Amino acid sequence: MISLGTRLRELRLAKGVSLDDIARSTRVGRGHLEALESDSWGDLPSPVFVKGFIRAYCEFLEASPDEALGLYREATGETVKPGRVQSAVHTPPTRRIGPLMVSLVLFIALGASLFALRIGLKTSPPPAPAVPVQPARVPEAEPRPEGQRLLIRAVEPTWIRVQVDEGQVAEELLQAGAVREWTAARRFVLTVGNAGGLEVDLNGRRIPALGAKGAVIQRLVLPAEAQGAGS
């Protein structure tokens, strides 16, 4: 079976581009690109970064990353969690009751209802006068928190991964000039491949630079005060 590195190298050579061309456009270091093409997993960072590198590599070559990601999972032994399968519950059909039996049951029920109504009219006391009921006071709704708003502008090609609260995850290679925005109830968790290639606004305010150009930032929690609550 063809390896991931061999497949990536074939795609690159078919396009007639060099590793330096890919490194300049994607901001993925040449050393990491060489490690991908030689299947040197020990020279690469954590899997979340490697997958981002593979996506960036394939997107630069205008190729789908699905095949390359599949080869990476096979090479590293990563398994894909199967989806849940719901089993159908068979309900036995209801036994049919003959028309005569249904009519008899309805007749008996109707007679019993009429008898109970007559007894109730004879024995029930006169109704008590109605007492006005004061409407209950409805407590004023507390103002809802506005949550968190994150806006990212790319000034250089930069790979990012953004997790919103504990759910939605977005991964993308941003080109220079791209703008992305997310909202969350509590926090965001950022992983960035080129810290100096981004401008970040949190709740309408510019935050200091995440780091130098080319620096890798892993699992940065914004806002910082949400770090303790989310860990």
Side-chain angles (χ1 to χ4, degrees):
M1 179 181 296
I2 189 172
S3 70
L4 170 63
T6 301
R7 181 56 179 157
L8 293 178
R9 189 162 50 254
E10 288 178 351
L11 291 172
R12 177 174 61 81
L13 294 177
K15 292 287 186 177
V17 299
S18 67
L19 287 177
D20 290 330
D21 295 331
I22 299 177
R24 278 193 298 269
S25 177
T26 64
R27 288 292 176 175
V28 177
R30 179 186 171 91
H32 289 154
L33 297 176
E34 291 175 346
L36 282 177
E37 290 196 354
S38 62
D39 300 313
S40 302
W41 313 127
D43 298 331
L44 291 167
S46 61
V48 65
F49 277 101
V50 177
K51 292 175 185 177
F53 296 162
I54 293 172
R55 289 190 178 93
Y57 189 113
C58 293
E59 289 174 4
F60 176 80
L61 299 176
E62 298 180 347
S64 171
D66 294 341
E67 179 189 4
L69 290 172
L71 292 173
Y72 173 71
R73 294 188 182 99
E74 291 179 4
T76 58
E78 180 180 341
T79 58
V80 179
K81 296 182 179 180
R84 296 182 178 177
V85 179
Q86 293 184 342
S87 59
V89 179
H90 177 70
T91 304
T94 306
R95 296 182 60 183
R96 297 183 177 178
I97 304 176
L100 181 60
M101 181 62 69
V102 173
S103 300
L104 180 59
V105 171
L106 292 176
F107 179 78
I108 294 175
L110 179 61
S113 300
L114 292 174
F115 179 76
L117 179 61
R118 292 183 62 185
I119 295 298
L121 290 175
K122 291 181 179 180
T123 59
S124 58
V131 178
V133 179
Q134 296 294 333
R137 295 185 60 186
V138 179
E140 297 182 359
E142 297 181 358
R144 297 181 58 186
E146 296 180 358
Q148 308 293 336
R149 176 173 171 267
L150 178 69
L151 188 142
I152 290 180
R153 299 180 184 87
V155 296
E156 291 184 354
T158 307
W159 179 83
I160 64 169
R161 181 181 190 268
V162 179
Q163 180 177 2
V164 177
D165 291 325
E166 308 302 329
Q168 174 190 354
V169 175
E171 296 183 29
E172 186 177 357
L173 173 65
L174 296 181
Q175 298 299 327
V179 178
R180 298 291 183 270
E181 182 177 352
W182 296 270
T183 58
R186 296 191 307 107
R187 67 171 190 169
F188 305 94
V189 181
L190 273 66
T191 300
V192 181
N194 177 18
L198 296 179
E199 293 179 347
V200 181
D201 293 355
L202 182 64
N203 298 327
R205 293 185 177 182
R206 179 68 50 85
I207 67 175
L210 302 183
K213 292 184 178 181
V216 174
I217 303 295
Q218 297 194 49
R219 297 191 63 80
L220 172 67
V221 178
L222 295 177
E225 57 266 23
Q227 175 78 48
S231 59

